[in-house]
Amino acid sequence: MQSLIKSQHAQQLAGHSSTKAPGTEMIPATTGLTMSSDENMMLKLIQHTHSPDAREVQVRGLLHLVEDILDRATLDSDDSNSSKLPLPTEDKLIQSSMMSVLDSVSYAIDRVACEIAYKSLTGSDAHEITMSVFEHLSSFHWDGKLVLTLAAFALNYGEFWLLVQFYSKNQLAKSLAMLKLVPVQNRVTLESVSQGLNDLIREMKSVTACVVELSELPNRYITPEDPQLSRIIATIPIAVYWTIRSVVACISQINMITAMGHEMMNTQMDSWETSMLANKLKNIHDHLAETLKLCYRHIERQRSSESLKVLHSLFDTTHIDNMKILTALIHPNTHIAPLHDGLTKSKVHLDVLRRKTVLLLISDLNILQDELSIFEQIYTESRRNLMGVDGKSHMPYEVVWVPVVDPIEDFERSPTLQKKFEALRAPMPWYTVDSPKLVERHVVEFMRERYHFMKKPILVVIDPQGNEASLNALHMIWIWGTEAFPFTRLREEELWRKETFSLNLIVDGIDSVIFNWINPDNYIFLYGGDDLDWIRRFTMAAKATAKDSNVKLEMAYVGKRNHSHREQTKRISEAVRFENLSHCWTEPALMWFFWTRLESMLYSKIQLGKADDHDEVMQGIKKILSYDKLGGWALLSKGPEIVMITHGAIERTVSAYDRTWKTNVATKGYTKAMYDHHHDEVLRDTGKPCGHFDFHINARSGRIPEKMNCFECQRPMEKYMSFACCHDDTLLDPEENYNF
């Protein structure tokens, strides 16, 4: 940063303005520090005194010493606040280092102290004295000028208060105080000095600390090519000027008191000048503090960008195990245990995952309880099934929850988010990253770029060699559970080859009651919707047809896909159970799981490139999801075989039983008679509604089909962009949807 400030000075003297270098990112604009025309002229005068040489002063250590002196320079030597401050000179090594620094700058400090003291006593103008200091310190950088001047003030101010503190305890101090005319016996005057200068001294220290911090910023990320930064750096000389000017004012006040001696005994200090300077420095400090924030954000972005490139490169490299990959993703600091073991509730190192298949469950803190509940059931069942005779689980994989809070500052300053994280983590039986703070910013960006992680949870699979077996295996988990291990594309294709579009596939692993219904002699209706009157008419009419036809009909209400209708669906479920209309799930998580499995099947087929019109699974899933958006719908099967999937017009079909298709049951059979009447008569009047689908723009793995044909008319569907506000007990951010 020193070279940056120096190069900025050279550009200004040459009259050239900075231009943005190609490929560099500007620091965001700030309100800046407005300079008056007088200050612009003064800036030119200051710049002409500035000709730093190659010497580098270790200003940080010197600033600590100066701050310690100013903090302890008070009316009472036993000041409680000052006594709590650590002394930078107590450590011998630090003291030795400090002496080395002071050896090189003590002459400059003494010279500045004498210059200000002498000229303030002779009545010189404050501006003239300040410019004189700039001349004496012309060979130092801006931060050096400021710290050395503050050290000169500490020399003067510290001596004054040291004599006050030891006046009654030490004869030498008493004699010196008398010789220097320090009004030690007038506590009113001393309190006036202390109170009058405290605010100004605090602002002087704050501005100095900011200038030093700016000078320490790494040149690698902060460059003069950034025009906004150039404007920021241009204000530093003005900040240095007003701080030195304030030092001059403080020393002048002290000298005036000692020079006038007893004549000052009954007078109060004029606080107008110190108050004006304190306000001036406060404005400067606020500007510099904001500048530092912008610079640190810029540096963080640059470092994050570099780390992101390294991370991408790491994933394109062959490894002997998974440790480098996991360390880069979870936390690079090998000295801490970054994982929390959900079973033992203890912290563990990443070594517990070495050469294992690792399932990274990546989510924010808004992950649904339904989702966690079902995932935990699948995980627990798998662990139980793989329990060995030794009582230990022999699972071939481990799960790690990676909680993402972006920006992480929200988590650090929000006790509510911290409690939410703890509440989510508490029941988890698998490993979790010990804190969202361990998931670094560039890792979050990496997950967004590589895994398309947005709001929806994803499950990234890392194999024992550190390769990505799947960018998102969550849909495989929902469809097949742990049978999908090792969660590769080949395994996914293999599992699909074994599947047919049947009721077994639709309800497998959800509800044993429905699964037990599936036998060749049973007829089964699955239905959904949010219109209770339609449900009453449909279920009562369907039961009547089955009773009259002497067939065994089972019915189950499966709710609605849209989670924003959760409360309404819950009320309908309670009514269905209370009125004994049909079987209905008592756990909302099962309804969530039913619809999530259907969506997962759709996404799985899309990712495998099977989103064509000849895939019976795709056609069936598309029908259910599309009809669900229209309102009521139903799926009829005979045993495992799905007979038809239809929209709400099915209620008209079953209601017309006595008048129309009843006579055909004996010859055609129950399902054939119903199907023929529905398609030949009812749909002729109502028509077949075309398909309509919603895909979240952050759909799992980011896979959205480029095109899709309607399952009814077979024509290409149009694509639209819509915005929908999603609610589920708590308000979530609006999400974009693709509507087909």
Side-chain angles (χ1 to χ4, degrees):
M1 187 72 177
Q2 294 286 12
S3 59
L4 167 63
I5 297 175
K6 194 170 182 178
S7 63
Q8 171 69 13
H9 165 61
Q11 288 176 353
Q12 288 173 329
L13 288 182
H16 297 141
S17 62
S18 298
T19 57
K20 184 176 184 292
T24 59
E25 182 184 355
M26 275 184 58
I27 293 178
T30 178
T31 55
L33 188 67
T34 304
M35 290 192 295
S36 65
S37 57
D38 288 342
E39 284 179 324
N40 280 318
M41 293 181 62
M42 185 168 60
L43 177 61
K44 294 179 181 179
L45 293 174
I46 296 170
Q47 290 283 9
H48 279 295
T49 69
H50 186 59
S51 56
D53 53 28
R55 83 179 78 179
E56 294 288 344
V57 179
Q58 300 299 319
V59 295
R60 175 61 68 180
L62 182 56
L63 179 59
H64 285 324
L65 179 62
V66 170
E67 288 175 334
D68 183 69
I69 293 171
L70 296 179
D71 288 338
R72 296 174 189 275
T74 60
L75 184 58
D76 299 308
S77 61
D78 59 345
D79 181 77
S80 58
N81 292 327
S82 295
S83 63
K84 293 179 182 178
L85 294 170
L87 265 172
T89 55
E90 287 177 348
D91 187 286
K92 290 184 178 180
L93 289 176
I94 297 177
Q95 187 174 3
S96 175
S97 174
M98 185 60 62
M99 292 306 297
S100 175
V101 172
L102 290 172
D103 281 344
S104 63
V105 296
S106 59
Y107 174 75
I109 294 172
D110 287 336
R111 188 177 180 186
V112 168
C114 292
E115 180 77 7
I116 298 175
Y118 173 74
K119 289 194 172 181
S120 65
L121 285 172
T122 58
S124 297
D125 177 69
H127 171 70
E128 178 188 337
I129 300 174
T130 303
M131 293 306 299
S132 175
V133 172
F134 276 111
E135 292 287 352
H136 285 304
L137 300 177
S138 61
S139 60
F140 293 93
H141 293 288
W142 297 114
D143 58 328
K145 296 181 201 294
L146 203 46
V147 174
L148 291 177
T149 305
L150 205 62
F153 170 64
L155 202 63
N156 183 299
Y157 195 65
E159 181 187 41
F160 178 88
W161 286 109
L162 191 65
L163 293 177
V164 171
Q165 291 175 5
F166 285 90
Y167 174 83
S168 62
K169 306 173 186 177
N170 185 284
Q171 183 59 42
L172 177 60
K174 184 175 183 179
S175 299
L176 280 173
M178 293 176 64
L179 187 61
K180 297 179 75 69
L181 299 178
V182 176
V184 290
Q185 294 179 335
N186 191 329
R187 191 172 183 88
V188 173
T189 300
L190 293 175
E191 286 179 350
S192 175
V193 173
S194 179
Q195 294 170 4
L197 298 183
N198 274 351
D199 289 345
L200 181 55
I201 292 172
R202 182 174 61 252
E203 297 301 336
M204 285 158 48
K205 291 190 297 180
S206 297
V207 170
T208 303
C210 280
V211 171
V212 170
E213 200 168 344
L214 277 168
S215 73
E216 293 172 340
L217 294 177
N219 295 344
R220 180 178 177 181
Y221 304 109
I222 304 296
T223 62
E225 283 76 16
D226 190 317
Q228 179 60 30
L229 184 60
S230 298
R231 290 191 292 273
I232 290 169
I233 300 305
T235 65
I236 289 180
I238 294 299
V240 174
Y241 172 87
W242 283 110
T243 308
I244 295 177
R245 176 81 173 258
S246 298
V247 168
V248 171
C250 288
I251 292 178
S252 296
Q253 293 275 15
I254 297 297
N255 286 344
M256 182 173 61
I257 294 170
T258 56
M260 297 184 69
H262 294 284
E263 296 177 19
M264 277 290 295
M265 295 287 276
N266 297 315
T267 64
Q268 296 291 321
M269 289 184 63
D270 182 6
S271 63
W272 179 86
E273 183 183 19
T274 56
S275 178
M276 181 274 293
L277 289 171
N279 287 332
K280 182 80 175 178
L281 289 188
K282 185 180 185 307
N283 291 334
I284 291 173
H285 170 258
D286 290 346
H287 161 70
L288 293 178
E290 184 62 29
T291 295
L292 277 169
K293 287 181 182 178
L294 293 173
C295 287
Y296 282 130
R297 287 176 197 160
H298 176 75
I299 292 169
E300 176 64 24
R301 284 195 298 270
Q302 295 298 311
R303 286 176 173 165
S304 182
S305 178
E306 289 181 356
S307 299
L308 188 60
K309 291 177 183 177
V310 171
L311 198 52
H312 277 291
S313 176
L314 189 64
F315 272 79
D316 296 331
T317 306
T318 303
H319 305 281
I320 59 172
D321 62 22
N322 55 7
M323 292 312 294
K324 282 188 177 180
I325 292 295
L326 294 175
T327 300
L329 286 176
I330 293 176
H331 198 260
N333 188 342
T334 57
H335 300 296
I336 67 169
L339 297 181
H340 173 86
D341 188 331
L343 293 178
T344 65
K345 307 303 179 186
S346 60
K347 291 186 179 183
V348 294
H349 286 275
L350 285 173
D351 284 338
V352 297
L353 306 175
R354 188 184 296 274
R355 294 192 177 89
K356 291 184 179 181
T357 296
V358 179
L359 279 56
L360 299 175
L361 178 60
I362 303 168
S363 80
D364 60 18
L365 301 187
N366 290 318
I367 185 170
L368 297 175
Q369 283 296 336
D370 292 344
E371 195 153 10
L372 284 176
S373 174
I374 298 297
F375 189 83
E376 183 177 348
Q377 289 180 36
I378 295 171
Y379 175 85
T380 304
E381 181 182 347
S382 173
R383 193 175 188 88
R384 184 169 55 248
N385 292 339
L386 294 170
M387 193 69 69
V389 294
D390 56 359
K392 296 181 179 179
S393 175
H394 296 277
M395 289 182 68
Y397 64 87
E398 296 289 353
V399 175
V400 178
W401 179 42
V402 183
V404 174
V405 179
D406 187 29
I408 192 59
E409 290 79 14
D410 289 351
F411 181 80
E412 292 172 341
R413 58 175 170 252
S414 172
T416 302
L417 284 179
Q418 294 166 21
K419 290 178 181 177
K420 188 174 185 179
F421 165 71
E422 293 294 341
L424 284 170
R425 183 178 72 170
M428 292 180 178
W430 47 77
Y431 295 112
T432 66
V433 175
D434 195 50
S435 169
K437 292 187 287 187
L438 298 182
V439 185
E440 298 185 340
R441 197 182 306 273
H442 70 277
V443 174
V444 175
E445 186 64 29
F446 174 83
M447 292 188 295
R448 297 199 193 286
E449 288 184 10
R450 196 172 185 97
Y451 305 141
H452 307 284
F453 169 72
M454 295 292 285
K455 292 180 179 293
K456 299 287 184 178
I458 61 173
L459 192 69
V460 176
V461 181
I462 306 296
D463 72 13
Q465 288 73 45
N467 302 311
E468 296 158 313
S470 174
L471 300 186
N472 187 8
L474 203 53
H475 61 275
M476 297 175 69
I477 289 285
W478 298 144
I479 301 169
W480 297 290
T482 54
E483 187 184 351
F485 181 83
F487 312 105
T488 61
R489 183 185 179 92
L490 291 175
R491 180 57 177 163
E492 189 173 7
E493 291 175 337
E494 179 186 352
L495 289 169
W496 273 124
R497 284 193 292 270
K498 299 177 182 178
E499 298 287 1
T500 58
F501 188 58
S502 65
L503 193 59
N504 302 69
L505 175 64
I506 298 296
V507 300
D508 184 27
I510 299 178
D511 184 1
S512 59
V513 173
I514 298 177
F515 202 76
N516 290 335
W517 290 345
I518 303 176
N519 67 69
D521 297 326
N522 280 359
Y523 297 87
I524 303 165
F525 260 127
L526 299 185
Y527 68 95
D530 56 3
D531 185 341
L532 184 56
D533 289 336
W534 178 90
I535 290 172
R536 288 185 178 118
R537 295 194 304 271
F538 168 64
T539 54
M540 293 172 67
K543 288 178 187 178
T545 65
K547 183 177 181 180
D548 188 75
S549 300
N550 197 28
V551 298
K552 187 176 182 181
L553 177 67
E554 304 286 359
M555 304 184 75
Y557 175 64
V558 296
K560 196 164 182 65
R561 177 192 183 195
N562 195 333
H563 295 299
S564 64
H565 294 186
R566 185 186 184 104
E567 288 303 317
Q568 185 177 0
T569 303
K570 182 180 178 181
R571 288 193 295 270
I572 291 174
S573 299
E574 291 171 351
V576 168
R577 287 194 299 273
F578 181 76
E579 299 176 27
N580 199 26
L581 299 178
S582 73
H583 176 64
C584 182
W585 293 316
T586 57
E587 297 181 39
L590 293 180
M591 284 189 183
W592 174 88
F593 190 31
F594 173 82
W595 291 104
T596 298
R597 284 188 78 250
L598 292 181
E599 291 177 3
S600 298
M601 293 176 197
L602 186 70
Y603 290 132
S604 175
K605 287 287 187 177
I606 291 172
Q607 288 185 149
L608 294 175
K610 305 295 183 182
D612 57 70
D613 303 320
H614 305 292
D615 188 296
E616 61 173 352
V617 175
M618 277 295 290
Q619 290 296 89
I621 298 301
K622 283 157 62 175
K623 282 185 178 181
I624 296 175
L625 296 178
S626 184
Y627 289 157
D628 171 68
K629 286 193 67 67
L630 298 176
W633 65 275
L635 176 153
L636 174 64
S637 76
K638 186 175 188 296
E641 181 186 356
I642 295 175
V643 177
M644 64 176 174
I645 302 170
T646 181
H647 53 84
I650 187 65
E651 181 265 327
R652 291 181 55 180
T653 299
V654 293
S655 296
Y657 170 77
D658 288 326
R659 303 189 310 274
T660 55
W661 56 279
K662 174 179 179 178
T663 57
N664 297 326
V665 173
T667 56
K668 292 183 177 182
Y670 180 72
T671 54
K672 178 64 173 170
M674 184 191 301
Y675 180 88
D676 287 349
H677 176 74
H678 183 72
H679 279 262
D680 297 341
E681 301 296 333
V682 176
L683 293 185
R684 183 181 60 190
D685 295 335
T686 62
K688 295 181 179 181
C690 286
H692 183 101
F693 301 99
D694 284 350
F695 287 96
H696 281 292
I697 201 166
N698 56 345
R700 301 188 192 286
S701 293
R703 306 298 173 85
I704 299 173
E706 288 298 320
K707 60 181 181 179
M708 183 179 285
N709 292 337
C710 176
F711 55 81
E712 293 288 5
C713 66
Q714 302 304 315
R715 288 182 295 184
M717 301 174 74
E718 294 183 353
K719 184 187 293 186
Y720 297 92
M721 176 76 78
S722 70
F723 294 85
C725 190
C726 302
H727 297 269
D728 186 5
D729 297 332
T730 58
L731 182 66
L732 301 179
D733 292 333
E735 292 184 354
E736 294 175 303
N737 298 288
Y738 276 111
N739 290 337
F740 289 88

